[in-house]
């Protein structure tokens, strides 16, 4: 059994989270709880498969075998009862490359793309750097739980330049796992208004007890036909640096267009470790995944108890999925720039600031809890201490 309490030194490995802290936060002297990867080693069978491939010693051009695709098909059948066809799967070197490619392929410059902030901020970049425009359909917070605003979505979807919705399920950063009825309602609106739905399901394997997940495209053939589903073992098994995503595009015409765009950009082929890593993870990683999810639940319970006892003015938005916890600090400091300084300069933790997730994120912080509990505890102690000193007026920002 894996030991998730083990501290594995990541400095010196080119880790974006650890080695490039000063580039993003202006200091190295912070506990990094920001970018969404885990401080846990991947399952042993994945490590072994990569070592075995590396020992071969030749790293020439590669492509994915039928076995790879079968493994992906079986994973969705087994875990989600979602029967996908082998030919629906398109490999991309990551989910963000897939989303940007979908935007460039299926929309025109000046078109509008609906997103639901506060949301994973690279969506904004993918839209805007392609010369498209953001159409925000903000989530609403009711009694510590986020909901979609369908009335607003209906209005936004009617915009003559609206072409696409980027759905985030489970939602990063608010942690909702959307129910089937919510997805159906969103799907109806998309169909009525001829919108393509890009469903980013990268976090779907990471859920807390009792929460089930429905793949958007598995609801009906009509929804499958307008959808591009982004999946990857990268969050699940901590393989983000392997750069392997499987994009499910059931509509043949859309798939051909999508694949042609990837080929045109020269990004349709995998790196040499993708095949072995993905196969090992999906075939032999489930035991590790279950243990990891148990440990994560322990971390979430620990965080909730700690905040209740030590920072009662901070509200934790209970996540249904993802290892990212969204916390409301508005009663501590509602000015997002001052809150940022409190976390970075006083608490000495690197968090993703709420305001970067778009409207509605100001005054919130996103903390990544996929780390050894001792590290989580250290970060929380530093945050609580900073909050206490701030409330007592011992710390002030101009
Ligand atoms: C919702 C969501 N989509 C996509 C990504 C990034 O995917 P990739 O690294 O495969 O581009 C992340 C990473 O945090 C994410 O949270």
């Amino acid at each position: 059994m894996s030991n998730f309490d083990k501290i594995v030194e990541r400095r010196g490995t080119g880790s974006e989270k650890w080695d490039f802290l000063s580039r993003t936060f202006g200091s190295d002297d912070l506990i990094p709880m920001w970018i969404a990867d885990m401080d846990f080693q991947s399952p042993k069978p994945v490590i072994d498969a990569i070592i075995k491939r590396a020992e071969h010693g030749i790293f020439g051009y590669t492509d994915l075998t039928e076995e790879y695709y079968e493994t992906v098909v079986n994973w969705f059948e087994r875990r989600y009862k979602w029967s996908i066809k082998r030919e629906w799967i398109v490999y991309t070197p990551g989910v963000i490359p897939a989303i940007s490619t979908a935007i460039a392929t299926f929309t025109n410059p000046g078109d509008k793309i609906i997103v639901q902030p506060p949301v994973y901020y690279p969506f904004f970049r993918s839209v805007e750097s392609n010369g498209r425009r953001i159409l925000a359909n903000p989530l609403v917070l009711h009694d510590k739980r986020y909901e979609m605003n369908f009335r607003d979505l209906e209005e936004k979807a009617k915009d003559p330049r609206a072409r696409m919705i980027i759905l985030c399920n489970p939602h990063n950063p608010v942690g909702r796992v959307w129910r089937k009825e919510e997805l159906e309602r969103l799907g109806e609106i998309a169909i009525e208004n001829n919108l393509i739905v890009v469903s980013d399901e990268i976090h779907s394997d990471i859920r807390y007890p009792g929460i089930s997940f429905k793949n958007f495209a598995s609801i009906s053939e009509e929804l499958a036909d307008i959808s591009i589903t982004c999946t990857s073992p990268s969050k699940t098994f901590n393989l983000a640096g392997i750069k392997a995503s499987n994009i499910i595009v059931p509509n043949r015409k859309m798939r051909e267009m999508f694949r042609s765009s990837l080929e045109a950009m020269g990004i349709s082929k995998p790196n040499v470790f993708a095949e072995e890593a993905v196969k090992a993870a999906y075939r032999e990683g489930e035991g590790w995944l279950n243990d990891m999810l148990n440990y994560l639940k322990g971390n979430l319970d620990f965080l909730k108890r700690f905040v209740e006892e030590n920072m009662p003015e901070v509200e934790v938005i209970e996540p249904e999925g993802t290892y990212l916890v969204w916390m409301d600090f508005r009663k501590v400091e509602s000015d997002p720039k001052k809150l940022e300084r409190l976390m970075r300069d006083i608490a000495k933790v690197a968090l993703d600031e709420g305001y970067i997730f778009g409207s509605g994120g100001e005054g919130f912080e996103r903390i990544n809890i996929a780390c050894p509990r001792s590290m989580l505890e250290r970060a929380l102690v530093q945050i609580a201490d900073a909050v206490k000193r701030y409330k007592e007026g011992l710390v002030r920002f101009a």
Side-chain angles (χ1 to χ4, degrees), residues 35-37 92-99 119-120 122-123 168-172 200-203 231-232 234-235 240 243-245 323-324 366:
I35 197 168
D37 69 17
T92 65
V95 163
I96 284 300
I99 292 176
V119 74
Y120 181 59
F123 290 174
C168 193
N169 186 27
H171 189 97
N172 170 9
D200 179 345
E201 301 181 1
I202 194 169
H203 292 279
T231 80
S232 173
S234 60
K235 299 291 163 202
K243 298 269 166 209
S245 299
Y323 48 71
L324 308 163
R366 192 195 76 175

Side-chain angles (χ1 to χ4, degrees), residues 42-59 67-68 71 237 239 242 271-285:
S42 290
K44 180 82 168 47
V46 175
I47 301 172
D48 290 345
I50 292 173
I51 291 173
K52 185 158 172 247
R53 180 64 190 82
E55 276 173 352
H56 181 259
I58 297 179
F59 307 110
E67 255 185 53
Y68 174 96
T71 306
F237 297 105
L239 300 173
I242 294 285
N271 83 72
V272 82
F273 296 111
E275 162 120 4
E276 300 308 330
V278 173
K279 278 193 320 206
Y282 277 168
R283 287 176 180 174
E284 300 171 74

